[in-house]
Amino acid sequence: MRQTKSDRWTLFPLLFAILLLCYYVWQLKADYTAQIVVRSDTPVWDLRDVDMATHYVRTRGGQAEFVPNAYLTPEAFETSSDIQTGAPEDAAQFYTARVRLLVPDGRVYALYFSSVDYTDSIYINGQHMQTVGQPGTSAETNVPQTTFVYYTVTPVNGVIEVLHQCSNFVHKEGGNPAGLNIGSVESISRYHARQTLGTAIILGCLLLLAAVHFMLFLLLKSYRTNLYFALFCLVLLLRTGVTGTKAVTALYPDISWYVTFRMEYMAIPAACLLLTLALGAMFPGLVQKQVKIAILAGNAAVALLYLLAPTVFITQALPVAYAAVLLTGGYLIGRFVLRLRRGLDTEHLIMLCALVVLVYVMVREMLYHADILIFPAAHSGMLDFGVLMLALFQMVAAFYGTVRQVAAARQNEEIARLEAEALRRDALLKEALHKAIPKEYLVVRGPLTLNTQAGQAFLSEEDLLLTPKEFTLLHLLMQHEGEAVPGQRLYEDVWKQPADVDTRTLRSTVSRLRKKLEKSGYIILNIKGRGYVFAEESAKNTL
């Protein structure tokens, strides 16, 4: 059922509202108008000329001072003779690292960063602030954890010293203190509030979409798109909850890091798998059978890998997950483009736009992890923008698909009602016919009725318009139902002449009768050497 032009025009306000919502969430989480990205090639970051009254600084890259394979207090670190400069995570799996921030004195600043995928004991200006997880000297004694960290600090002589005791046996990267957000208390509080609100909006939308489409599936179980889409939203919900502001960790502080880590990574191939199933059910023929099997098997294998493999290997194999997303998305986009020649329905156009945005966002994400930034300040929140847009656009497409299925179901119900009404009328007509004609003149076999008085044959209420010869032949065969009547006898009784005059006439008459009896449930068989038999179709193999 194609959408009309008027139907498409009614979609524009809805799609525009979705784009506004996604853009709003992106602006919340990116906050690039208030963000200043600063890089440094030394362990000392000079931020004295940066306006942090209304903006906050996001430090990226840079080096740190560190002592490998040792946990040192700030005092011990200051007097250590083993201090090196560079990226500590590249030199050792546990270490003590330090950076210094030069800021205008006499103000209160806020530091905001996350301890991601490793353990960390944090000191600010020599004071111990927090220990995230349990630092260890081996993988057996190391207990990783992840949480957002927020402190208000006062510089000492214009310096904020940040020291980390890190151990990382579970991730390919992490622990470098040269990556944090610093600004006024107001700017950082606003940043945190915007991050939290943006995540809350995404989680709320995904939860609502999952609930609505699961209910739609319960109402129309034949349309499995709603089930796949509900599960797709739940997978995205879990991944959003264990990334970004770590909503799951905030709600359940005791949850194992290994559980949240594997949830984050497994969600990628699981989402690809469910998206393929949803679009395959929504657009029959879109996904070729062999390709569908390959996509499902490939993503299932990646998900199993992320479930069982060591976590360090998983982080190194992250490009595999991104490749699965890009291959799946690229294939689906290609299939939609091929359909452009035949014209795309509204649902096709919606999903094509969403997939193009998703692939673009995933390419940006891959480049980001390769330390190649496209518009660095605007990177934050872009993945959330793409995921939310995909989910909401697919919601619209699935809604239109559901409406189409409901319309088809109603049409089938109407057809069934009309057929039932026709059967009822047939029964009434047959009853009236039987009452009007003496029973001795009627020969009835299921829906087939012969009026021997008038020489008429009816299939339900439809007159078969038999010729006199056809009627006589059919009546004779019905009188001997289930018995083989020789062709010679039939010809002599119907045409009143010897059978050897024209046998083709009998065969052609039988052929016409067969066509007229096709929907009656009865057949006329020619049994070699025996003759013609009139019988029910179900008895065909027993004769």
Side-chain angles (χ1 to χ4, degrees):
M1 182 179 71
R2 288 188 176 274
Q3 305 294 330
T4 64
K5 290 184 178 180
S6 61
D7 292 330
R8 291 182 176 179
W9 277 107
T10 61
L11 268 180
F12 289 158
L14 176 59
L15 297 180
F16 183 69
I18 289 175
L19 288 174
L20 283 181
L21 174 63
C22 295
Y23 180 75
Y24 174 68
V25 171
W26 177 31
Q27 291 295 299
L28 276 176
K29 295 181 73 66
D31 197 18
Y32 62 87
T33 58
Q35 181 187 117
I36 301 173
V37 177
V38 177
R39 291 177 176 270
S40 175
D41 295 327
T42 72
V44 179
W45 298 70
D46 191 348
L47 308 177
R48 288 173 293 188
D49 295 331
V50 179
D51 177 18
M52 286 190 283
T54 56
H55 293 72
Y56 66 91
V57 172
R58 181 180 182 186
T59 63
R60 180 169 177 82
Q63 299 179 336
E65 298 176 297
F66 68 95
V67 176
N69 302 318
Y71 292 129
L72 303 177
T73 64
E75 295 80 7
F77 187 91
E78 187 69 35
T79 60
S80 174
S81 60
D82 297 325
I83 297 177
Q84 302 178 26
T85 300
E89 66 270 27
D90 295 336
Q93 290 182 292
F94 70 97
Y95 47 85
T96 303
R98 182 181 69 179
V99 295
R100 295 179 181 181
L101 309 175
L102 305 183
V103 296
D105 210 355
R107 301 179 185 176
V108 177
Y109 296 89
L111 293 181
Y112 185 79
F113 58 98
S114 60
S115 173
V116 181
D117 303 326
Y118 54 87
T119 59
D120 197 358
S121 188
I122 306 165
Y123 293 79
I124 306 292
N125 288 337
Q127 180 182 357
H128 180 254
M129 306 298 291
Q130 184 179 3
T131 297
V132 181
Q134 179 181 314
T137 58
S138 66
E140 291 71 27
T141 59
N142 177 71
V143 180
Q145 188 53 274
T146 179
T147 185
F148 267 88
V149 179
Y150 174 85
Y151 308 120
T152 57
V153 298
T154 302
V156 178
N157 298 322
V159 177
I160 298 176
E161 181 183 281
V162 182
L163 183 140
H164 295 257
Q165 297 173 348
C166 294
S167 60
N168 180 11
F169 295 88
V170 293
H171 203 277
K172 70 174 182 178
E173 60 186 25
N176 192 334
L180 52 82
N181 297 314
I182 180 173
S184 65
V185 174
E186 293 77 12
S187 63
I188 292 296
S189 297
R190 184 178 65 249
Y191 170 78
H192 176 65
R194 291 168 71 98
Q195 292 291 314
T196 303
L197 177 58
T199 300
I201 292 174
I202 295 172
L203 292 175
C205 288
L206 292 175
L207 183 60
L208 180 61
L209 290 176
V212 169
H213 283 276
F214 186 71
M215 286 188 292
L216 288 175
F217 169 70
L218 293 179
L219 294 174
L220 189 63
K221 292 185 177 180
S222 61
Y223 192 53
R224 291 186 174 272
T225 295
N226 285 316
L227 174 61
Y228 297 138
F229 181 50
L231 294 175
F232 174 77
C233 289
L234 287 177
V235 168
L236 295 182
L237 176 74
L238 289 175
R239 189 177 192 279
T240 303
V242 297
T243 58
T245 56
K246 310 290 192 297
V248 171
T249 305
L251 292 173
Y252 304 100
D254 296 331
I255 191 171
S256 169
W257 174 86
Y258 292 97
V259 172
T260 59
F261 176 84
R262 294 186 188 278
M263 285 169 56
E264 174 184 352
Y265 279 77
M266 289 179 63
I268 299 174
C272 283
L273 189 150
L274 290 168
L275 179 63
T276 303
L277 290 174
L279 293 182
M282 188 185 303
F283 307 116
L286 175 69
V287 184
Q288 296 164 310
K289 184 177 179 180
Q290 298 301 324
V291 178
K292 179 179 179 180
I293 293 174
I295 291 175
L296 298 183
N299 283 287
V302 174
L304 184 63
L305 172 71
Y306 287 167
L307 176 64
L308 302 176
T311 57
V312 174
F313 176 80
I314 290 175
T315 59
Q316 294 170 340
L318 180 60
V320 175
Y322 286 147
V325 175
L326 294 177
L327 287 174
T328 302
Y331 168 77
L332 294 174
I333 290 173
R335 293 292 293 173
F336 278 126
V337 170
L338 287 176
R339 290 195 172 195
L340 282 172
R341 294 175 297 179
R342 293 178 288 172
L344 292 180
D345 291 340
T346 302
E347 303 98 300
H348 291 80
L349 292 171
I350 292 172
M351 289 311 304
L352 177 59
C353 293
L355 287 170
V356 169
V357 171
L358 179 66
V359 169
Y360 168 72
V361 168
M362 292 306 299
V363 170
R364 284 176 59 105
E365 190 73 8
M366 291 182 68
L367 295 176
Y368 173 79
H369 285 282
D371 206 29
I372 301 173
L373 299 185
I374 304 175
F375 305 112
H379 176 82
S380 179
M382 179 59 75
L383 182 59
D384 295 317
F385 171 83
V387 167
L388 184 59
M389 180 179 170
L390 175 66
L392 291 174
F393 271 39
Q394 187 170 348
M395 175 270 294
V396 175
F399 172 76
Y400 269 81
T402 302
V403 170
R404 185 178 62 250
Q405 292 293 320
V406 170
R410 289 178 177 174
Q411 186 177 16
N412 291 335
E413 289 178 0
E414 181 64 14
I415 292 173
R417 187 188 67 79
L418 293 175
E419 289 178 347
E421 181 66 20
L423 290 174
R424 189 183 68 82
R425 289 197 305 269
D426 290 349
L428 292 175
L429 288 172
K430 187 179 292 185
E431 182 180 356
L433 178 65
H434 289 179
K435 288 181 179 179
I437 303 172
K439 292 184 178 180
E440 60 268 21
Y441 295 112
L442 294 177
V443 180
V444 181
R445 298 291 188 275
L448 185 62
T449 301
L450 265 61
N451 179 356
T452 59
Q453 186 181 38
Q456 290 178 301
F458 295 89
L459 185 57
S460 296
E461 80 277 12
E462 179 187 359
D463 191 339
L464 293 179
L465 302 175
L466 300 184
T467 65
K469 300 297 183 184
E470 290 172 347
F471 180 86
T472 303
L473 178 60
L474 178 60
H475 184 204
L476 181 59
L477 288 171
M478 290 177 67
Q479 287 178 315
H480 299 276
E481 180 180 355
E483 300 176 11
V485 182
Q488 181 180 0
R489 177 185 168 185
L490 289 173
Y491 196 86
E492 292 174 351
D493 289 353
V494 174
W495 279 270
K496 307 300 183 183
Q497 55 184 321
D500 56 359
V501 174
D502 188 3
T503 57
R504 290 178 298 177
T505 301
L506 174 61
R507 292 198 299 272
S508 62
T509 304
V510 170
S511 177
R512 291 195 301 273
L513 276 177
R514 284 172 176 162
K515 291 181 180 180
K516 294 181 179 181
L517 297 177
E518 280 181 348
K519 298 180 181 180
S520 68
Y522 287 84
I523 57 175
I524 299 175
L525 295 175
N526 184 4
I527 301 178
K528 189 174 181 180
R530 294 175 58 191
Y532 293 91
V533 179
F534 176 86
E536 293 184 67
E537 286 187 14
S538 58
K540 178 179 179 180
N541 296 327
T542 62
L543 297 175

